[in-house]
Amino acid sequence: MKKHLLTATTVAGILISTFAGSASAHENIYTVQPGDTLWKISQAKQVSITDVKLWNQLTTDTIYVNQKLSLLAPHSHETQTTATPDSSNTAITYLVNSGDTLSGIAKTYGTTVTDIKSLNGLTSDTIYVGHRLLVKSSVKTVSKAQLVMNEANKYIGTPYLWGGNTPAGFDCSGFTSYVFNKVGITIPRTAALQWSGLKVSATPNPGDLVFFETYAAGASHVGIYLGNNKFIQAGSSGVSIADMTNSYWKPRYLGARTAF
């Protein structure tokens, strides 16, 4: 029995030695030391606890002395080409290295920090060595303006409700604020505040807000411009598309504002 244990231990030692020797250069293997915790390792090695647990298939925060932990994502040892801007519509991922920043990566790939964060579900600018970031999607990016118009069109036929700001019923500014919020853009609730609080758009572009003076002086009605003089709005007959050049809307038009 003792002989078998000795043999197994020897074999295990050889295997561990072989693995560590071949993997350390590629996988960044860390050997747990006395007093180590996942938090301590994450701070020292600039990786997140969540990633360390995921990459090592850990189900708890418990680690053991001499335990081998990978500090890089699986397969991150694959050859990485030098980053160059690419205008083709293909998916591109980037392995974060020491010293990288989101702004630097975005500049290299001809994209924006906002787009990288959106593609990867990031809520801050913090990135960690070993993270693999999607910097360009294989799916053509849809503009914020198009997202707004797509969302707005979902509610055609929704009834008008004074003070309404849900699909159960909308008033004009309840409709616009709801639609923008659904695509991640917060704008003021009322037409007057949307008019005074957003950037002026000299000529309305698709996705912009267009304002009218109707039942009260000033900006008392608002809709979302769709292009070709059409806009979608929550009016007395519910959510519908109207023509800005018709005899009712044209003389009441005040101007446009943009949230982009």
Side-chain angles (χ1 to χ4, degrees):
M1 183 66 177
K2 289 183 179 180
K3 182 178 179 181
H4 290 165
L5 286 174
L6 178 61
T7 302
T9 302
T10 303
V11 172
I14 294 171
L15 290 175
I16 291 172
S17 175
T18 302
F19 174 73
S22 62
S24 58
H26 299 289
E27 296 289 354
N28 195 6
I29 299 298
Y30 177 80
T31 301
V32 177
Q33 303 298 314
D36 277 344
T37 63
L38 284 182
W39 182 87
K40 182 178 178 180
I41 295 169
S42 73
Q43 295 299 301
K45 301 299 182 179
Q46 295 186 319
V47 295
S48 72
I49 292 174
T50 300
D51 281 344
V52 174
K53 292 175 69 174
L54 176 65
W55 299 337
N56 294 276
Q57 299 182 341
L58 302 179
T59 57
T60 71
D61 289 352
T62 303
I63 54 177
Y64 305 94
V65 174
N66 294 326
Q67 184 175 1
K68 307 294 184 180
L69 297 177
S70 174
L71 301 183
L72 288 181
H75 305 300
S76 59
H77 59 275
E78 294 173 356
T79 302
Q80 182 179 321
T81 58
T82 302
T84 55
D86 184 1
S87 59
S88 63
N89 191 30
T90 57
I92 299 175
T93 60
Y94 178 78
L95 181 66
V96 177
N97 294 298
S98 179
D100 279 339
T101 63
L102 281 181
S103 59
I105 296 170
K107 183 177 180 180
T108 298
Y109 280 91
T111 184
T112 66
V113 170
T114 300
D115 284 346
I116 292 178
K117 289 171 70 174
S118 177
L119 285 172
N120 293 275
L122 302 178
T123 57
S124 75
D125 289 352
T126 303
I127 53 177
Y128 301 95
V129 174
H131 273 194
R132 189 173 292 279
L133 297 175
L134 181 63
V135 293
K136 285 196 176 181
S137 173
S138 58
V139 179
K140 187 175 181 180
T141 301
V142 178
S143 70
K144 285 284 189 179
Q146 189 62 55
L147 289 175
V148 166
M149 293 186 289
N150 291 348
E151 186 66 26
N153 278 301
K154 294 178 183 179
Y155 305 102
I156 289 177
T158 299
Y160 181 83
L161 177 65
W162 178 263
N165 61 355
T166 73
F170 292 113
D171 64 15
C172 67
S173 58
F175 172 62
T176 54
S177 60
Y178 180 87
V179 167
F180 274 77
N181 185 66
K182 286 288 285 184
V183 300
I185 302 173
T186 301
I187 62 174
R189 168 63 178 85
T190 67
L193 289 176
Q194 290 172 12
W195 169 256
S196 63
L198 299 176
K199 294 183 294 184
V200 174
S201 181
T203 302
N205 294 303
D208 284 349
L209 296 169
V210 286
F211 294 82
F212 305 85
E213 185 176 80
T214 53
Y215 66 90
S220 53
H221 188 73
V222 60
I224 298 170
Y225 188 64
L226 301 176
N228 297 318
N229 295 314
K230 299 294 192 297
F231 72 104
I232 185 168
Q233 46 96 39
S236 58
S237 59
V239 176
S240 62
I241 295 174
D243 191 327
M244 292 176 60
T245 63
N246 72 26
S247 58
Y248 179 80
W249 293 113
K250 186 175 181 178
R252 292 172 172 78
Y253 177 64
L254 291 179
R257 298 289 186 267
T258 183
F260 307 114

